[in-house]
């Protein structure tokens, strides 16, 4: 029996000192990042689910702090590591720790797929792209003591989610997680220049069959009877008919959940009603900018987001009228952004009635067309400084303001947006509008279905 340690890097920390200090006094500001950092690595749990139990023993660990590394077991026959971009170098330190002890290491995920050469320098095997179709080969090679340096599919991005395994949620310590992730789809039809997830793992949008999603949720409920689910999708609801079927089934599960989507959901009242009835609490939408000029050109193909800009306020109001809060995400430092953009974001947030807001720096992630373009234009502040890819550190030189102006404008904006007054005003406004809405229906109390069963 071979032993495999699945190790996820967690706990991304910004390096920007002023923002770190602010985070302590403006908790709302770092909330979403904290939530992401505390989610388990669904990718590793999925690979664990593909690992035959009769041939392998598996363990799942997370490392937020490298000082804890010596506490982890070393008696593994293989260690599989996944990481956020900002912790790439720490993940490499973990790999070095195991390689020095003679333990083979395999690394994968979006960042590693974007940086195969750099990763290979740590004497590890690299899995490129989607892990599921390649993992059985890794296991076979492990058993015969002949791991390859690189695992790559001959048909990248073609994994059919109908064959997705049940993730090993049972490997998680139930006390440590209050949000559990489930993937219902992979990919996104938009091709934002700065987005790695829509290009590095899959070439097309694909969905997981309804019965598989429901089976995962039921598996989660065996461990967490009243879970809060976060759908680990790039963009849910793209295939409307499929999602309507899924939502009808989800409604029977008595859940609360969150997902990421785009403003198109607001066009479809039936969909919004089904989302409400299925327990959707919040949707996160990458609005990116209140400025049409800043939205122009952010996608590689169409200017879809720029064309939606006039519709943003109406879409937010419609979605929220169903009792589903919108977390609107804005990026500052986009090429057309001038120092006026900070006030424009503030005013948009105020008069759109957004319940929640997230503002981040425009960040060049490895493997993206954005990184390549800015590198050609000599606008990457420090090449390969992946630790700055936290979204709260600046790794690019903006085009129409200085780095100092970007930093100062951002600080001023987040202080305003996340002040107690501003936050309570957003909450109050949401509730005021909801009272007047005929689309809202109070959800059934959580757990009633379980009690009745
Ligand atoms: S809409 Fe979001 S997920 Fe889709 S390509 Fe743009 S950034 Fe990526």
């Amino acid at each position: 029996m071979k032993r495999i340690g699945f190790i996820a890097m967690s706990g991304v920390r910004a390096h920007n000192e002023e923002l770190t200090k602010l985070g302590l006094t403006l908790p709302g500001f770092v909330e979403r990042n904290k939530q992401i950092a505390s989610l388990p690595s669904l990718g590793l749990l999925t690979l664990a689910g593909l690992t035959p139990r009769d041939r392998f023993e598996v363990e799942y660990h997370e490392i937020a702090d490298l000082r804890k590394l010596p506490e982890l077991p070393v008696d593994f026959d293989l260690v599989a590591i996944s990481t956020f971009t900002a912790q790439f170098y720490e993940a490499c330190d973990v790999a070095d720790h195991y390689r020095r002890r003679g333990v083979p290491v395999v690394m994968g995920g979006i960042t590693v797929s974007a940086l195969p050469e750099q990763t290979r320098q740590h004497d590890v095997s690299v899995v490129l792209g989607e892990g599921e179709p390649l993992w059985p080969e890794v296991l076979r090679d492990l058993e015969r003591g002949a791991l390859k340096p690189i695992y790559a599919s001959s048909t990248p991005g073609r994994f059919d989610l109908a064959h997705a395994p049940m993730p090993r949620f049972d490997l998680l310590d139930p006390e440590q997680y209050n949000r559990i992730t489930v993937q219902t789809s992979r990919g996104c039809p938009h091709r934002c220049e700065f987005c790695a997830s829509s290009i590095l793992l899959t070439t097309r949008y694909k969905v997981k069959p309804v019965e598989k999603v429901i089976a995962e949720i039921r598996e989660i409920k065996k461990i967490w009877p009243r879970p809060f689910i976060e759908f680990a999708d790039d963009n849910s609801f793209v295939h409307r008919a499929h999602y309507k079927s899924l939502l009808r089934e989800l409604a029977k599960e008595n859940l609360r959940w969150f997902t990421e989507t785009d403003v198109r959901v607001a066009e479809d009242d039936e969909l919004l009603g089904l989302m409400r009835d299925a327990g959707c609490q919040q949707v996160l939408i990458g609005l990116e900018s209140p400025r049409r000029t800043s939205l122009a050109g952010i996608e590689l193909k169409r200017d879809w987001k720029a064309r939606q800009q006039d519709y943003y306020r109406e879409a937010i109001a419609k979605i929220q009228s169903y009792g589903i809060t919108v977390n609107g995400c804005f990026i500052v430092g986009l090429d057309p952004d001038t120092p006026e953009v900070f006030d424009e974001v503030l005013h948009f947030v105020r008069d759109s009635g957004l319940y929640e807001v997230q503002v981040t720096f425009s960040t060049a992630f490895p493997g993206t067309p954005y990184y390549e373009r800015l590198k050609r234009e000599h606008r990457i502040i420090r090449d390969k400084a992946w630790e700055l890819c936290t979204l709260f550190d600046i790794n690019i030189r903006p085009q129409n303001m200085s780095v100092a102006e970007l930093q100062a404008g951002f600080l001023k904006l987040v202080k305003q947006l996340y002040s107690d007054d501003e936050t309570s005003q957003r909450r109050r406004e949401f509730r005021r509008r909801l009272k007047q809405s005929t689309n809202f229906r109070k959800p059934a109390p959580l757990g009633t279905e379980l009690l009745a069963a």
Side-chain angles (χ1 to χ4, degrees):
M1 191 74 106
K2 300 264 186 208
R3 268 168 60 74
I4 301 179
F6 290 96
I7 299 183
M9 305 305 295
S10 63
V12 174
R13 289 171 298 275
H15 298 262
N16 188 324
E17 277 181 29
E18 284 182 87
L19 287 181
T20 309
K21 270 188 242 153
L22 257 187
L24 299 174
T25 50
L26 298 172
F29 158 56
V30 284
E31 204 49 47
R32 178 74 197 129
N33 243 35
K34 267 194 346 215
Q35 283 166 355
I36 292 172
S38 60
L39 292 171
S41 166
L42 188 59
L44 289 181
L45 297 178
T46 302
L47 294 186
L50 268 177
T51 307
R53 297 189 193 208
D54 55 339
R55 285 156 44 208
F56 301 92
E57 278 175 12
V58 296
E59 283 179 26
Y60 174 84
H61 297 276
E62 282 184 9
I63 303 186
D65 183 348
L66 279 186
R67 284 171 301 186
K68 303 263 183 223
L69 190 52
E71 293 167 22
L72 289 189
V74 285
D75 59 336
F76 292 124
D77 297 294
L78 179 72
V79 162
I81 303 174
S82 87
T83 182
F84 294 111
T85 306
Q87 284 172 299
F88 175 72
Y89 289 113
E90 291 174 63
C92 293
D93 288 345
V94 175
D96 291 343
H97 169 86
Y98 279 102
R99 293 301 296 126
R100 279 195 297 275
R101 285 156 184 80
V103 181
V105 173
V106 57
M107 293 176 73
I110 291 181
T111 305
V112 166
S113 298
L115 302 169
E117 309 298 324
Q118 216 184 328
T119 312
R120 277 287 303 137
Q121 288 167 10
H122 295 268
D123 191 25
V124 301
S125 297
V126 167
V127 173
L128 297 180
E130 294 179 300
E132 294 98 329
L134 301 166
W135 189 243
E137 189 184 341
V138 173
L139 295 180
R140 278 195 301 275
D141 289 351
L142 170 67
E143 285 181 311
R144 59 188 190 91
L147 284 167
K148 299 183 189 75
I150 293 191
Y151 290 87
S153 168
S154 54
T155 52
R158 296 287 173 84
F159 179 69
D160 185 344
L161 291 175
H163 301 133
M166 174 66 73
R168 288 285 305 273
F169 299 111
D170 60 297
L171 295 176
L172 300 174
D173 173 357
E175 301 296 314
Q176 272 194 28
Y177 301 91
N178 56 11
R179 282 185 175 225
I180 309 298
T181 42
V182 171
Q183 189 167 53
T184 73
S185 62
R186 199 173 279 175
C188 174
H190 308 304
R191 289 278 181 268
C192 296
E193 190 191 22
F194 48 76
C195 178
S197 55
S198 69
I199 50 171
L200 283 170
L201 288 188
T202 182
T203 46
R204 62 189 177 91
Y205 189 75
K206 52 198 179 189
V207 294
K208 191 180 279 178
V210 171
E211 56 284 4
K212 280 213 167 244
V213 175
I214 299 298
E216 288 186 30
I217 283 167
R218 294 197 176 148
E219 195 66 23
I220 289 169
K221 283 163 85 176
K222 287 182 192 163
I223 305 169
W224 295 268
R226 295 170 189 187
F228 190 95
I229 301 289
E230 172 143 352
F231 290 124
D233 301 339
D234 299 313
N235 190 347
S236 304
F237 313 118
V238 171
H239 287 181
R240 228 37 95 68
H242 167 84
Y243 272 97
K244 287 181 182 175
S245 310
L246 173 60
L247 290 167
R248 288 190 181 97
E249 293 308 309
L250 270 182
K252 300 172 191 163
E253 298 299 320
N254 202 22
L255 287 177
R256 300 286 180 266
W257 52 273
F258 161 100
T259 197
E260 300 189 18
T261 185
D262 64 46
V263 291
R264 270 181 308 189
V265 291
E267 295 163 1
D268 190 333
D269 280 286
E270 186 191 14
L271 180 74
L272 288 168
L274 289 168
M275 287 163 64
R276 171 200 61 205
D277 296 342
C280 182
Q281 303 295 288
Q282 184 172 81
V283 289
L284 183 142
I285 300 182
L287 301 169
E288 325 303 8
S289 182
R291 274 187 178 191
R292 189 196 288 264
T293 47
S294 293
L295 290 170
I298 65 168
E299 295 144 60
L300 294 174
K301 283 193 198 150
R302 312 170 297 153
D303 258 342
W304 185 80
K305 286 196 181 180
R307 280 184 281 115
Q308 301 305 308
Q309 198 269 346
D310 280 345
Y311 177 55
Y312 274 3
R313 285 175 178 77
E314 192 187 323
I316 293 163
K318 172 70 97 57
I319 298 166
Q320 295 197 148
S321 75
Y322 281 79
I324 299 165
T325 60
V326 176
N327 187 342
C329 300
F330 298 90
I331 299 173
V332 289
L334 294 167
D335 280 2
D337 282 355
T338 53
E340 289 74 40
V341 76
F342 306 104
D343 280 343
E344 290 170 36
V345 172
L346 181 68
H347 292 132
F348 180 91
V349 172
R350 280 181 180 158
D351 68 36
S352 65
L354 267 179
Y355 179 85
E356 203 154 327
V357 58
Q358 182 180 300
V359 189
T360 57
F361 288 119
S362 186
T363 304
F365 281 88
T368 59
Y370 186 54
Y371 191 91
E372 293 312 315
R373 176 168 69 82
L374 266 62
K375 201 171 161 190
R376 283 196 303 277
E377 294 172 2
H378 305 288
R379 289 171 54 206
I380 298 293
I381 288 184
R382 223 166 2 102
D383 195 25
K384 298 186 180 157
W386 312 128
E387 70 281 6
L388 296 181
C389 292
T390 59
L391 299 175
F392 297 111
D393 290 291
I394 302 174
N395 80 339
I396 59 136
R397 284 182 225 289
Q399 202 163 50
N400 284 303
M401 62 180 121
S402 67
V403 170
E405 281 173 313
L406 176 58
Q407 162 86 354
F410 184 93
L411 276 172
K412 185 172 166 220
L413 174 62
V414 296
K415 277 184 199 163
Q416 288 169 312
L417 278 178
Y418 298 105
S419 67
D420 286 346
D421 278 357
E422 203 78 28
T423 308
S424 331
Q425 176 55 29
R426 281 198 293 276
R427 306 281 186 269
R428 271 200 305 276
E429 182 59 17
F430 172 76
R431 285 194 294 270
R432 188 188 69 76
R433 293 188 190 194
L434 202 56
K435 272 189 196 149
Q436 297 164 356
S437 167
T438 50
N439 293 329
F440 177 57
R441 210 181 288 153
K442 267 201 169 159
L446 266 184
T448 48
E449 171 220 48
L450 288 168
L451 293 172

